[in-house]
Amino acid sequence: MTACVTAEAATPDTRQHRAALTIAADGSYAARLARHESTGGWFPERWTLAGPEPYAVPLPGHQPEEADAGLLPLADGRVLIRRRAADRCTLGLLYPTGPGTGELPLGAVEAAELTLLPAAPCGSRAYALAPGEHSTVLWLVHDGRPSTVPGRPRSVPACVAEIEGRCTGGVWLDRTGRLLALDQELDGRTKTVAVDLERGGEVSPLLEITEESNDRLLLADPDSGLLVLRSDAAGHDRLGWGVLGSALPVRFPECLRLPDAALQPFAVQSGQALAPESSAVAFRIDAAGGTWLGVWRPAERKLRQLPPPRGWLAGTGLWTPDGELRLPFETPAVPCGVARMPAPATGTRSGDEAPGAPSADAGRRADPPAADTASTGPSATPLPSGELAPTGFPVRTARWVRVPSTPPPLYLRTYAPHPAASPPSAAAESVPQEPFGASAHPSPCRPVPLQQAPLAAREAR
């Protein structure tokens, strides 16, 4: 890739992003903590990403929020908030009510630390982890079902399972919200395990490359089975990939090793059924020169490094099934925007293309025939973030409103449930004037522990 950058665009953007953005399971909403420009206090802010244009809705309470408050947007448009209060954590659901903010209390958890996990694939259930001295408790903090008592939650937070050791992470392995992958630390070693929520929190090993290695699952795509992980089995941290339910060894591509830069996956292309090598993964790349974007597919054996849109909320974004990458951003002129990069610009393929079909821009360039490459350009010079606005990113303008939108289309494809699958839970509690959507998903496959062939003999792909 050859980029023409003006002197103004080459100036790095030193402005710090106010907060990370958390995206709902179906991509329809997002939420973050924003800072009030006049008072400096924090308040929740909901972004609507579905529809013709994005817009932000502030959800301020009676007093400013703490900077460490946790937010989780749900598919029905409400935002779950976790607050710390002395030696416990309180939970509530926020939603706009005309000029103000409504809140439905969800109870409290007696724990000094409570971490919200990504919303279950159904978009309505929410879980959290409360680590203790010797074990971690998995809590169901919102089940999405309606309450029999108006104005009260259906149930207070319920303990789902107590898991030995300290657990972190949280990656869903299926579309039903049954299998949850957690990174479990025991005796100084971290391995990824699968927790079956329909079998009383039954724990089974998922990722163990060697007995002495620390192996963590970073991202999983239930459609294709692609897993992206980090392991120090080679003596130092490496990014690798495997396939859920496959006996093939984990592979550690050389193209995912950049000097003096850290890579973190944040989104994977959905809809690539049974085609893990064709699934595109988006990476946040951090280095001394700034933060920029990376796009990688296992079949390509190279990492495309791309300049992000100006004001990108780094590390957040989503793929559409047809291969379009959408990145939320904010600038002084556009406080709520989404930049869109079509599939040809990222080298991805739509879900309808055959895995062996050439990409849309295959005829315009000659790819290296075999070896992995760390950059698509003539050199591996880092691409700084900031004023760069590549032509591949058409920008969706934004507006600032406090009115509800029409029911949003789902970004993710919906699937008919497997005959053996149990029916999904009932729809989330209804909120006046707030849209919500639900989708059906196939039954989960049982996880198979991933192993590693001898490192010296592995196929580096």
Side-chain angles (χ1 to χ4, degrees), residues 435-458:
F436 67 93
S439 59
H441 303 293
S443 61
C445 59
R446 293 295 299 173
V448 176
L450 297 179
Q451 301 293 333
Q452 169 62 32
L455 295 176
R458 72 178 185 276

Side-chain angles (χ1 to χ4, degrees), residues 188-191 209-210 212-216 229-239 252 455:
R189 290 284 181 267
T190 300
K191 306 290 182 182
I209 298 180
T210 69
E212 301 300 322
S213 61
N214 293 289
D215 312 311
R216 297 175 173 86
L229 57 102
R230 188 184 302 275
S231 174
D232 61 1
H236 53 276
D237 275 343
R238 294 283 303 273
L239 286 171
F252 294 90
L455 295 176

Side-chain angles (χ1 to χ4, degrees), residues 316-320 324-328 338-341 396 411:
T316 59
L318 56 89
W319 292 97
T320 61
E324 182 181 76
L325 180 60
R326 300 180 177 180
L327 303 178
V338 174
R340 306 168 64 179
M341 175 169 277
R396 298 166 66 186
Y411 284 153

Side-chain angles (χ1 to χ4, degrees), residues 322-338:
D322 59 0
E324 182 181 76
L325 180 60
R326 300 180 177 180
L327 303 178
F329 72 93
E330 63 159 346
T331 64
V334 184
C336 170
V338 174

Side-chain angles (χ1 to χ4, degrees), residues 347-422:
T348 60
R349 299 168 182 155
S350 68
D352 298 328
E353 280 188 77
S359 59
D361 61 341
R364 305 176 200 154
R365 55 178 173 80
D367 288 335
D372 287 328
T373 57
S375 173
T376 58
S379 66
T381 304
L383 301 172
S385 65
E387 303 294 329
L388 295 174
T391 57
F393 281 97
V395 170
R396 298 166 66 186
T397 57
R399 55 193 173 98
W400 191 278
V401 298
R402 283 193 60 87
V403 297
S405 64
T406 56
L410 300 182
Y411 284 153
L412 303 182
R413 289 180 172 176
T414 57
Y415 296 84
H418 191 277
S422 58

Side-chain angles (χ1 to χ4, degrees), residues 197-251:
L197 302 182
E198 291 188 4
R199 296 176 64 90
E202 180 181 273
V203 177
S204 59
L206 177 67
L207 182 60
E208 181 175 316
I209 298 180
T210 69
E211 292 184 359
E212 301 300 322
S213 61
N214 293 289
D215 312 311
R216 297 175 173 86
L217 183 63
L218 304 180
L219 183 147
D221 176 39
D223 294 332
S224 65
L226 177 67
L227 305 177
V228 181
L229 57 102
R230 188 184 302 275
S231 174
D232 61 1
H236 53 276
D237 275 343
R238 294 283 303 273
L239 286 171
W241 70 280
V243 181
L244 183 65
S246 171
L248 295 175
V250 173
R251 297 166 182 172

Side-chain angles (χ1 to χ4, degrees), residues 110-126:
E110 298 293 335
E113 182 180 352
L114 186 70
T115 303
L116 295 177
L117 296 178
C122 65
S124 59
R125 293 197 307 274

